[in-house]
Each structure stands twice: as C-alpha cells, then as structure tokens.
Amino acid sequence: MAKSSSLNVRVVEGRALPAKDVSGSSDPYCLVKVDDEVVARTATVWRSLGPFWGEEYTVHLPLDFHQLAFYVLDEDTVGHDDIIGKISLSREAITADPRGIDSWINLSRVDPDAEVQGEICLSVQMLEDGRGRCLRCHVLQARDLAPRDISGTSDPFARVFWGSQSLETSTIKKTRFPHWDEVLELREMPGAPSPLRVELWDWDMVGKNDFLGMVEFSPKTLQQKPPNGWFRLLPFPRAEEDSGRNLGALRVKVRLIEDRVLPSQCYQPLVELLMESVLGPAEEDTASPLALLEELTLGDCRQDLATKLVKLFLGRGLAGPFLDYLTRREVARTMDPNTLFRSNSLASKSMEQFMKLVGMPYLHEVLKPMISRVFEEKKYMELDPCKMDLGRTRRISFKGAPSEEQMRETSLGLLTGYLGPIVDAIVGSVGRCPPAMRLAFKQLHRRVKERFPEPEHQAVQSIGNLGQQLGQGKELWMAPLHPFLLQSVSRVRDFLDRLVDVDGDEEAGVPARALFPPSAIVREGYLLKRKEEPAGLATRFAFKKRYVWLSGETLSFSKSPEWQTRHSIPVSHIRAVERVDEGAFQLPHVMQVVTQDGAGALHTTYLQCKNVNELNQWLSALRKASAPNPDKLAACHPGAFRSARWTCCLQAERSAAGCSRTHSAVTLGDWSDPLDPDAEAQTVYRQLLLGRDQLRLKLLEDSNMDTALEADTGACPEVLAQQRAAAARLLEVLADLDRAHEEFQQQERGKAALGPLGP
C-alpha cells in the first residue's frame, strides 16, 4: 500500500509589520520552509506594512516531515535582508483540525538558539563491571547542521551529559557534516537515575560558542532500549514562545492531506460507478453516483475533487464526456444565461482544472516570450493614481520626478506596446491550442446554444459578449486603454469562434497514464552549467551559460535555443537531484544532477538558477521526470569534490558514501504532476467518507415520506427511489474500501511488530 502526503499552503497577507527602512516602511517578502528547506519565496511587496501576497503552493512531501515555518523578511538592495519574524507550525498543530489552519498568527522573533536543524548518529550502551555502571556513548557523525559561520559552515563539537558528568568530542572545522567516530565513557554517580543529553555546539575563537541542537533520552529509554541510529536535533526547551514586541501578524492557510493508497483493483467498483454516471443522460440527472457526490461535496472541497475527477477521466480517455455531462447538468438547471458557470459548481471547477492541466504548456508557449520581455525590461508602469510612485522614475533615471500626467502617458505607451504583441500572439494561436481543449469548448458552445436558442441570447451563444462592460466598472483610471481594448474585441471574438470550429465530436486519443507524451518539454530556460572539477578554471568561470530543455526522456543543453548542437542526458540515467551548499562554489541557488553511466560510475552536473523559486521549480521538475527510475541514491554529497576532498564532509575519497539524505519525494504540485488513477480514486473515497452520514439518511428515507419530499423539493418518488439505490451502491463500495484499508493496516502493524529482523 503506497503512502502519500501533500501540504497545501497559502500565504495570504500580513498586517502591522514593523518598519525596517529609514522611509518608515518595509519591503516584505515571505520564505516558506519545510524542515529547514526553503520550498517557496513570495514576491516582494514594496513599501508596505500590510502586504497582500495571495500566493498558493502545493508541496508533495515524505510522510515523516516535522515542521512548517514562515519567515517574513525585509528586502534590502544593499547588504543582507532584515528578518522581521517567523511562524512555526508543527505537524501536530497542522493536523489537529482536519480542515487545516486558516487564521492570523502573530510573528515571533527569530532566536538563533531555536534555529536548529539536522540529525546526529549515536550508539549508546549501558555496561556494568566491578566499579559499577558505565554509559558508553559512541558519537559517530552528524548531518545537515545549521551554518553558524560567515563561510556557510560550522566548527561543530559534541558535549555529552550524564548526571553530574560531561565529556566533549574533538572539534571538526568548517563542516556541517562532521564525522567524529569517538567513544565517550561516563561512570554512574550515586543518586537517582539521570537522563542522557547530547548537545552540539559551534566552536568560536572569539565570543561564546553557538548552539546547534540537542537530543535527550530518559533513564527508562537508556535501560530498556538504548539509542542506536539517527536522531533529530531539537532546540533547548523554552518556557514560552515570544510572540510580542509588535512584530505584526501573518494570515496563512495550511492543510495537510495524507493518504494510504490501495492497489488498483480495490478502487475498480468505485471508478466503474463514476464512469457509468457520465455515459447516461445528464439533463435531469439527480440520482447518479456522480450527482450525489457533487451534492455531498462542500464548496471549499470542490476544487480538489474537481482536479482529481478530471485526472481520473483523462486517464480513462473520457475527459470530454465527463465535462459534457457536467455542462449539460449545469445548463439544464440555469434559468438566466448571464449566470452560467458563475457559481462554485463542480462543472465550473472541473472546466477550470481541465484547462490548467491540459492547457498550461499551450499558455506558456503562447505568452512566455512577451512575459519574459516584460520582466527583462523592468520598466515601471502605473495608471492608478493611488499607486503611482513618481519618485521611482527619478531613482531609476537620476532625473527630476515627472508629473502625474507624464507618468500616465509614459505608462500608457508602454502598456499598449506590450498588449499589442500579447493580443497578436493569442489570436494567432488557434492551431496550437490542444485538440482536447478545442473539443471541450465546442461541446460547451453547442450545449449553451441548444439551451438558449433565442435571438436575444446570441452573445451568450457565440461566447462573444466582450467589451460591453467597458467604462462601467470602478477602475475609471483604466479608461485610456479602452480604445485599444475596443479595437481588439472583434479580433478576440473571431479567435473564439475559430477555436470552437474544429472537426470531431469525440475526444482524441486513448486512455493514457500521462497528460503529455514523454517527448513533451515540461521546463526550459537559461541556466549556468558546470561539469565535475574542470581542470585549470576558476570556480566562477567554470559555470557556462546554457539553454536547458527537460522532457520526460532527456535533459538537453545548448548554447542558445537556436543552436543546433545539443548535449543530452537520458532522464533514465538520473539517480539524484539535490541542492548544493552555497559554500561549495561560493554561489547561491546551485543544484546537482547525479547520473549513472552504463559501467555504473556516477557523474555530477551542477546547474545554477537565478533565484530560489527557479531552483525549486527545476528541482521539482527533474525529480518528477526521474521518479520511475530504479536504484535511486538514498544519500549524496551536498558539497563538491574540490582540492582532493568533499567540501561538505571533508572526506578525501571521491567515492565516499554520501553524507546527506536525498529528497526525491519533495516536489511542488503543478500541472506537470503525472496521472495517478489510484491516488485520484482515493481522494474521491475520502470525500465520500465525509458524506457517509448523508448517504445513510438518503438510504433510510421511508417511501412514505416521498409524498412530503415531493411537495418540498419537487422530486418525484421515482427519482427519490433512484437516489436511494445510488446511495446504497455507494455505501456498499465504501464498506468494501473500509475493509480493504483495515486489512492493509493490520498487515502493516504486523510487519512493524516483527521489527527489522522479521521475515
């Protein structure tokens, strides 16, 4: 039974943040960390003490993660960014409410003694001889310690306490991955049994040593099961979290979804029920299993359910019939055409998720050139007088500040200069739109036209009610753009008409296990590339600018997108994709791709990204592409082998075993996630569990109540009987899945009881 864990995180906004700049404001952004690894960085909101971000992330995680943290910082153009405060949420706090967390949380100050990370490997024995009891603590090594020195490393040593005695290991300089392999023996002193505490410290020549973390074991643990293995380092116990000092607050939404996914055959009856629903009549359907599922699902859960259902039907080659079924139901129960798809219905959410899943590569292909140009040119534009920063142009050009009218005219020229090519790219992209999307739009167009054939609804039929609201909104400062927008209306209307003018009534293709063919490019862009230890080159010059493409088959490099010669690495050869410590090359945002050749030798390619978000996106894409590969590495070196030793753990053998765990399970959720029919069916099962009581009520409704229900709801007795029958079938499927989950959990408990020495 497979296990999966996903963390849905939304960084909403901040309030009452302290001013960090001389201007009396701050330029805040937020870092999101999972177990001390940065997984996301929000945009910087300039000159604001109440920033709104509204950024959302899904992070796929291993099941053993411990903590989620949010750090709010003030960006500075010169020097280091200022830390404003943080929020720490333990796994237990997140899972305390099944709905997750959605609240304002006060920021706490960042205490260096509490900023610990990493693990220590110990082997403890309790011995007894003629002189009494002795504790033998074998301190082997530690990994992923917090960097305390300006070099990005530490000088760690361990201090062992037992009762009134203490001993120390030697200090190992400039590493976050020390290997001690030292045995410390302490004699038991008279008195009550004492716990064992092991502390790690960073040695400093000047000033006090810096705390790196600790572990502690009770006398009972020492006696019954002496520690032996890796242990997570913890901060010193603190009486109370400091959340005062007017550091402001952060509003976050966090939800952890953990699932144990059964083998495919367990979900087959449920999947067949759902497939059966979409192949029947939809207009008057209120009694099929799928109709009941929509009725049972609350609005805030519909987006997640819609995503899983769209993927489930895509995998069966039935996304077209599924969307058509929902569209027919939506259209049939809509009286006013102006409210079509305006509600938070399963139909609107499913169409939205379908377009994201199938159309994201198309969107990137069409708009990426212009979006990249906007970011590269970095020109300031603003039409809203309330947000206009007249001093910003002066800081950029070193000239006098322009007037508001001059700023408006300049911004208008820049905006129309960008919007023109954007509209040209969109209206000229009909042939590049995925066939599945065009067929879905064609079905939607046909169903709306059948439901509202009257002439007064012609605008709705043609999906062309564009431009009719211009000048009637609240944003009157957008009025200078109206002439350009009105000129574009006819072109966009023609684009939409051509989009639905496509041959074929059925969805092209057959059931598939992936949204896109293996050859499809899932990520591309310029990166800096470096091979292993090139001779005679300084570190910085060893990195060469290369254009990189990633598909499900290859990772390819060339000097530019137009360059004909490419060097490629088969994705099937990838064994690990990991971050690289900044100290390895004195460069930030570097990752490594470890591959294995036919002879079994490992090779490393280093790639540097522009920022932490680009780094996370490339890490995630490469890990997903290489997920099916066998023989993945469980550990690797987060440093580089330079000057005859590893920069991370200081070992002198290039072939030395990796000193840090790999993180192949940590990826970002996005449109490129592979289809997983079993995980998607498990989500549907989980949603049905939440509505089990309502299903039971439907089943228990006495036929004598049908007359009263018919009067209240307008449903005829035949429909109510069909609903009871559908509820009974769903409850039967739920009971079978409950039993399957219980059987697999019993098997897991049995294996755990056998321990590592069991068969």
Side-chain angles (χ1 to χ4, degrees):
M1 180 168 61
K3 301 177 182 179
S4 66
S5 178
S6 294
L7 198 58
N8 296 328
V9 178
R10 181 174 170 84
V11 184
V12 186
E13 57 187 320
R15 71 181 179 195
L17 300 182
K20 290 290 186 177
D21 299 335
V22 294
S23 63
S25 188
S26 290
D27 305 314
Y29 66 91
C30 189
L31 289 177
V32 184
K33 290 186 178 183
V34 174
D35 286 348
D36 304 302
E37 181 166 345
V38 177
V39 296
R41 180 203 193 276
T42 68
T44 299
V45 180
W46 302 101
R47 299 202 310 169
S48 176
L49 301 181
F52 179 84
W53 290 289
E55 298 190 21
E56 192 166 352
Y57 316 95
T58 297
V59 188
H60 302 306
L61 296 165
L63 291 173
D64 59 349
F65 96 94
H66 298 93
Q67 190 177 63
L68 172 69
F70 301 86
Y71 291 78
V72 180
L73 296 94
D74 166 58
E75 181 169 339
D76 288 332
T77 54
V78 179
H80 293 289
D81 296 346
D82 301 316
I83 298 177
I84 295 175
K86 66 174 283 192
I87 292 170
S88 292
L89 299 173
S90 67
R91 179 197 185 92
E92 293 72 26
I94 296 170
T95 56
D97 187 332
R99 296 169 297 180
I101 295 171
D102 180 1
S103 63
W104 285 95
I105 304 176
N106 289 334
L107 292 170
S108 301
R109 71 182 184 90
V110 176
D111 179 2
D113 284 346
E115 298 297 297
V116 303
Q117 65 183 61
E119 299 171 300
I120 186 170
C121 186
L122 301 170
S123 179
V124 178
Q125 292 178 293
M126 298 297 297
L127 306 175
E128 193 161 352
D129 56 24
R131 293 186 296 162
R133 294 212 312 162
C134 168
L135 182 146
R136 177 178 292 171
C137 182
H138 190 177
V139 184
L140 289 99
Q141 58 182 309
R143 61 189 178 194
D144 196 32
L145 300 179
R148 293 293 192 230
D149 298 337
I150 195 170
S151 62
T153 62
S154 289
D155 304 320
F157 68 92
R159 186 178 290 156
V160 179
F161 296 86
W162 191 45
S164 60
Q165 301 178 80
S166 67
L167 292 174
E168 294 180 1
T169 66
S170 59
T171 299
I172 301 182
K173 300 290 188 66
K174 296 183 179 180
T175 181
R176 299 194 305 115
F177 299 85
H179 284 248
W180 289 287
D181 197 13
E182 297 182 23
V183 177
L184 305 179
E185 291 191 357
L186 299 96
R187 287 282 170 183
E188 185 176 45
M189 303 299 288
S194 301
L196 168 68
R197 187 171 80 252
V198 181
E199 299 174 0
L200 294 189
W201 293 83
D202 166 53
W203 177 84
D204 284 333
M205 180 179 295
V206 179
K208 67 183 186 69
N209 298 330
D210 300 312
F211 180 66
L212 292 172
M214 60 162 282
V215 290
E216 187 168 274
F217 307 97
S218 67
K220 183 178 179 181
T221 298
L222 295 175
Q223 188 64 38
Q224 297 181 355
K225 191 178 180 181
N228 185 13
W230 285 97
F231 301 93
R232 179 170 171 258
L233 293 170
L234 300 173
F236 276 128
R238 302 173 66 191
E240 187 176 334
E241 186 73 14
D242 177 10
S243 58
R245 292 185 50 199
N246 301 318
L247 296 179
L250 192 65
R251 185 185 171 202
V252 295
K253 295 183 179 181
V254 181
R255 184 176 173 223
L256 179 65
I257 300 173
E258 294 183 309
D259 268 331
R260 286 166 170 77
V261 182
L262 300 169
S264 299
Q265 64 268 19
C266 298
Y267 297 107
Q268 195 60 32
L270 174 59
V271 173
E272 288 176 355
L273 278 181
L274 299 175
M275 300 298 157
E276 176 186 308
S277 298
V278 305
L279 299 177
E283 287 77 2
E284 301 298 328
D285 177 26
T286 59
S288 72
L290 191 53
L292 286 182
L293 179 60
E294 179 177 12
E295 182 183 332
L296 296 172
T297 307
L298 298 176
D300 56 352
C301 297
R302 280 183 179 164
Q303 180 163 315
D304 186 40
L305 178 65
T307 302
K308 300 303 182 181
L309 285 173
V310 168
K311 285 189 168 186
L312 193 63
F313 282 94
L314 274 169
R316 296 286 178 129
L318 292 173
F322 168 66
L323 292 172
D324 189 43
Y325 165 87
L326 295 178
T327 297
R328 285 181 286 151
R329 291 193 71 225
E330 180 86 359
V331 170
R333 60 193 180 196
T334 301
M335 297 297 105
D336 181 359
N338 294 311
T339 63
L340 263 176
F341 297 104
R342 299 290 177 88
S343 64
N344 190 21
S345 65
L346 188 60
S348 60
K349 291 295 182 185
S350 296
M351 183 62 79
E352 174 188 340
Q353 296 305 310
F354 171 76
M355 289 190 292
K356 286 182 179 178
L357 291 166
V358 176
M360 196 62 75
Y362 161 66
L363 184 69
H364 286 195
E365 180 185 0
V366 173
L367 295 182
K368 183 178 179 180
M370 274 308 303
I371 300 299
S372 298
R373 177 186 155 192
V374 171
F375 276 91
E376 288 168 3
E377 294 182 354
K378 298 180 180 179
K379 293 181 178 177
Y380 180 71
M381 299 167 285
E382 185 57 74
L383 293 179
D384 185 353
C386 297
K387 297 181 179 178
M388 201 172 284
D389 182 3
L390 299 179
R392 183 162 178 179
T393 300
R394 180 176 58 189
R395 290 196 299 271
I396 295 172
S397 66
F398 301 101
K399 296 180 181 179
S403 67
E404 186 175 306
E405 183 61 31
Q406 289 173 323
M407 175 67 75
R408 187 180 297 110
E409 290 300 319
T410 301
S411 297
L412 180 62
L414 290 171
L415 282 169
T416 52
Y418 288 135
L419 288 173
I422 288 175
V423 173
D424 291 343
I426 292 172
V427 299
S429 68
V430 171
R432 289 184 281 176
C433 184
M437 281 183 63
R438 297 184 67 184
L439 287 169
F441 297 154
K442 179 182 179 179
Q443 289 174 335
L444 173 62
H445 174 246
R446 183 170 67 242
R447 299 306 181 191
V448 173
K449 190 173 182 179
E450 291 171 352
R451 176 68 177 86
F452 301 104
E454 295 82 3
E456 62 267 26
H457 298 145
Q458 185 175 0
V460 177
Q461 298 164 13
S462 66
I463 331 177
N465 55 340
L466 299 169
Q468 297 179 8
Q469 304 300 318
L470 287 179
Q472 301 178 27
K474 298 179 181 178
E475 299 171 340
L476 298 179
W477 42 266
M478 290 288 288
L481 280 176
H482 291 176
F484 172 83
L485 297 175
L486 288 170
Q487 291 173 8
S488 304
V489 166
S490 60
R491 297 179 66 199
V492 175
R493 184 182 291 118
D494 177 65
F495 162 73
L496 294 173
D497 289 340
R498 286 185 291 123
L499 204 61
V500 299
D501 184 16
V502 58
D503 293 332
D505 294 318
E506 300 296 330
E507 184 175 349
V510 294
R513 295 290 297 187
L515 285 171
F516 311 103
S519 59
I521 301 298
V522 295
R523 189 156 189 84
E524 60 181 298
Y526 277 108
L527 298 175
L528 296 178
K529 175 177 177 284
R530 183 189 196 273
K531 295 182 180 178
E532 296 172 299
E533 198 66 18
L537 283 178
T539 300
R540 292 181 180 273
F541 295 106
F543 281 85
K544 302 293 185 181
K545 187 176 181 179
R546 293 291 182 264
Y547 198 82
V548 186
W549 295 265
L550 174 65
S551 71
E553 297 175 334
T554 59
L555 178 65
S556 303
F557 311 88
S558 74
K559 290 186 177 180
S560 70
E562 300 79 21
W563 200 263
Q564 297 299 315
T565 304
R566 294 188 186 182
H567 169 68
S568 295
I569 297 174
V571 167
S572 59
H573 290 186
I574 295 176
R575 295 295 175 263
V577 182
E578 295 296 320
R579 299 170 188 269
V580 176
D581 284 346
E582 187 169 330
F585 301 108
Q586 302 304 314
L587 293 171
H589 317 311
V590 178
M591 64 178 172
Q592 57 179 312
V593 181
V594 183
T595 57
Q596 189 173 37
D597 61 23
L602 295 177
H603 305 277
T604 305
T605 300
Y606 298 98
L607 300 170
Q608 187 189 18
C609 303
K610 296 175 185 175
N611 52 56
V612 67
N613 280 345
E614 185 179 63
L615 172 64
N616 284 326
Q617 289 159 4
W618 273 102
L619 283 169
S620 180
L622 282 160
R623 287 170 179 170
K624 289 178 188 176
S626 59
N629 293 356
D631 303 324
K632 288 284 195 62
L633 297 180
C636 74
H637 292 281
F641 194 79
R642 300 177 57 208
S643 303
R645 69 176 187 176
W646 288 101
T647 60
C648 45
C649 57
L650 311 182
Q651 295 187 80
E653 295 291 332
R654 182 186 285 273
S655 59
C659 56
S660 179
R661 288 191 298 176
T662 55
H663 303 83
S664 59
V666 181
T667 60
L668 298 176
D670 58 21
W671 58 269
S672 65
D673 286 351
L675 297 179
D676 188 344
D678 298 337
E680 286 131 25
Q682 172 65 21
T683 299
V684 177
Y685 161 70
R686 187 177 63 242
Q687 188 59 50
L688 285 170
L689 283 180
L690 296 176
R692 191 202 297 263
D693 290 342
Q694 295 179 59
L695 286 173
R696 286 171 174 161
L697 287 175
K698 283 188 177 293
L699 181 63
L700 295 174
E701 286 171 355
D702 193 282
S703 58
N704 294 330
M705 299 171 60
D706 288 353
T707 302
L709 287 170
E710 180 180 2
D712 292 340
T713 65
C716 65
E718 292 80 6
V719 170
L720 296 172
Q722 292 171 7
Q723 288 182 341
R724 284 197 296 271
R729 296 173 69 189
L730 285 172
L731 286 169
E732 183 180 351
V733 167
L734 283 178
D736 290 341
L737 285 169
D738 288 343
R739 285 191 290 270
H741 272 282
E742 180 58 31
E743 289 173 4
F744 277 96
Q745 287 173 5
Q746 287 179 355
Q747 292 177 15
E748 285 188 342
R749 287 193 289 267
K751 291 178 182 178
L754 288 172
L757 299 179

